[in-house]
Amino acid sequence: MGFTMGLNLLLLLAMVATNILSLYHLSSILQSKPPTPLPVPDHLLHQLQTIRATINHLTRLQPTTTPTTTKRPSIPSDLLLYTHLSPIASSCHQHPDLLHKYMTYTPFSLCPLDSSLAEALILRGCHPLPRRRCFTKTPPSIPTSLPTNPFGPIPDNAIIWNPYTCKTFYCLNPYLGFDPKSEKSKFVTYKSDLDLPIQQLLAIANLSYSVVRLGLDIGGGTGTFAAQMKGFNVTVLTTTMNLGAPYNEVVGLRGLVPLHTPLQQRLPVFDGVVDIVRCGHGVNRWIPVTALEFLFFDVDRVLRGGGYFWLDHFFSKGVDLEKVYGPLIGKLGYKKVKWAVGNKSDSSGVKNGEVYLSALLQKPVSK
């Protein structure tokens, strides 16, 4: 033990002496001119390069950004499935929050009552919608047959009112097309040059030796035009959106065919099979010109040669009708059978200098 303590003491003295000599040598170097640095040996350079390469490799294994605390929702399995099996519009992926909310449901059970969420996606270009494997809830009162009179009353219990603010038809604004009595006089009466009664429309077609059998009503609300044409043995499909009220349901309950399709969507009809296409109040100056041009040429796609394109009460600013919309309609090269312009007399029309256009255009047979 005495030997060990002596050895430790000797080592301690040697270390102290070494440090003193080092300090002395260092102080003498700082006071004198620094010598020329010696070249670094090759084996040290090689070791430094090895260390640098190792550090770079480890750095690449680390994430480049600091992870955030916000966790993105996982992709629903059904969305992944139908990405491969069913067409999904590319714009669906531009709205991940809405899409994730829409696709979060329980397969093989009742679908959520979220028609407003579905329409929010459709109006943003996400169409067709990807949800498939759930069962649609049906209303408590189911019609047993098609109605003989499409202008008859519709019972409240034939509608699922959960998604809507109103819970009865009485609550809805009658001017929106939900009052059968007031709807019965539409499209069959003449009040101004802007009107085109169905009798006059069919007479014009007969004079041109053109038959009207199939039609498409774009933005047709509750389907009143289709209901009136049904009385003249003409079948008309109605494109409509709900937008806070049961438009599609009412069209179906009237014994007509609703197409849940937005204005910017390609019309779900084959080329050249329709005799007449009507665009109602929903087609107006608030639609971007590019989208409107797309719609007009899609109308041309589905119309047969000799068919009719009816712009019914299209409204815009008077100056825009002359400089923008008139030339846009002229691009179709259709014959102007009727072209009537009148002032839009409500408060918005007076304030903005708006006018109505009612035009009946005939597609050339040669097209």
Side-chain angles (χ1 to χ4, degrees):
M1 184 174 178
F3 174 78
T4 303
M5 290 182 63
L7 181 61
N8 290 339
L9 182 60
L10 180 61
L11 290 175
L12 178 61
L13 290 174
M15 184 171 57
V16 171
T18 303
N19 288 339
I20 292 173
L21 290 174
S22 299
L23 289 173
Y24 174 77
H25 180 67
L26 181 61
S27 62
S28 63
I29 291 176
L30 291 176
Q31 292 175 2
S32 62
K33 184 178 179 180
T36 304
L38 297 175
V40 181
D42 292 338
H43 69 280
L44 290 180
L45 287 175
H46 179 71
Q47 291 179 3
L48 288 172
Q49 291 173 356
T50 303
I51 293 171
R52 180 178 296 173
T54 304
I55 293 174
N56 290 336
H57 176 70
L58 294 174
T59 302
R60 285 195 297 268
L61 294 178
Q62 299 298 322
T64 56
T65 58
T66 304
T68 59
T69 56
T70 304
K71 183 181 179 181
R72 292 185 62 85
S74 58
I75 301 177
S77 58
D78 268 31
L79 183 56
L80 291 174
L81 173 65
Y82 286 104
T83 298
H84 301 286
L85 297 182
S86 182
I88 298 177
S90 59
S91 57
C92 292
H93 300 287
Q94 298 174 8
H95 309 281
D97 293 336
L98 288 175
L99 185 61
H100 183 273
K101 187 175 181 181
Y102 179 76
M103 289 302 296
T104 302
Y105 70 103
T106 304
F108 313 116
S109 62
L110 286 177
C111 298
L113 295 174
D114 55 0
S115 58
S116 60
L117 176 60
E119 290 198 339
L121 282 167
I122 291 174
L123 291 173
R124 287 165 171 81
C126 180
H127 192 263
L129 293 169
R131 191 167 69 194
R132 298 290 187 275
R133 296 186 300 170
C134 61
F135 302 102
T136 302
K137 186 177 181 180
T138 56
S141 177
I142 303 175
T144 57
S145 62
L146 289 175
T148 56
N149 177 18
F151 295 96
I154 299 176
D156 289 331
N157 60 358
I159 302 290
I160 298 177
W161 294 98
N162 301 60
Y164 308 114
T165 303
C166 285
K167 305 303 177 185
T168 63
F169 284 111
Y170 179 78
C171 167
L172 295 171
N173 188 335
Y175 295 103
L176 297 178
F178 294 99
D179 181 16
K181 292 182 180 179
S182 62
E183 294 296 296
K184 195 171 184 179
S185 62
K186 290 184 177 180
F187 303 107
V188 293
T189 56
Y190 183 90
K191 297 180 181 178
S192 71
D193 288 342
L194 295 171
D195 296 324
L196 180 61
I198 291 177
Q199 299 90 329
Q200 183 181 356
L201 170 66
L202 297 179
I204 291 172
N206 288 333
L207 289 175
S208 300
Y209 303 100
S210 179
V211 64
V212 177
R213 311 152 300 143
L214 301 174
L216 182 63
D217 190 13
I218 299 176
T222 58
T224 297
F225 177 66
Q228 295 286 19
M229 292 292 277
K230 186 177 181 179
F232 293 89
N233 199 29
V234 179
T235 300
V236 175
L237 307 178
T238 303
T239 75
T240 186
M241 299 289 287
N242 280 7
L243 301 177
Y247 288 96
N248 279 274
E249 295 95 316
V250 169
V251 173
L253 288 169
R254 298 175 82 175
L256 309 169
V257 181
L259 299 176
H260 193 210
T261 305
L263 295 176
Q264 74 271 23
Q265 179 69 29
R266 185 178 187 270
L267 298 171
V269 179
F270 193 70
D271 302 359
V273 298
V274 175
D275 303 310
I276 184 170
V277 176
R278 172 186 173 268
C279 287
H281 230 185
V283 179
N284 53 61
R285 72 180 183 94
W286 295 112
I287 301 176
V289 175
T290 303
L292 197 61
E293 183 180 46
F294 175 88
L295 174 62
F296 286 174
F297 277 88
D298 206 34
V299 168
D300 177 81
R301 178 184 63 80
V302 302
L303 267 180
R304 62 166 178 80
Y308 293 95
F309 179 26
W310 179 12
L311 274 171
D312 188 8
H313 285 74
F314 174 89
F315 71 86
S316 68
K317 292 183 178 180
V319 64
D320 290 340
L321 178 60
E322 180 181 352
K323 294 183 178 181
V324 179
Y325 300 111
L328 178 60
I329 296 169
K331 289 181 179 180
L332 296 172
Y334 286 11
K335 175 184 176 182
K336 292 182 180 179
V337 180
K338 178 184 176 71
W339 188 277
V341 179
N343 291 327
K344 190 169 180 281
S345 57
D346 59 6
S347 59
S348 174
V350 173
K351 178 182 178 181
N352 298 304
E354 294 173 333
V355 296
Y356 280 122
L357 167 67
S358 285
L360 183 65
L361 311 167
Q362 186 176 24
K363 180 177 179 177
V365 178
S366 59
K367 272 200 170 186

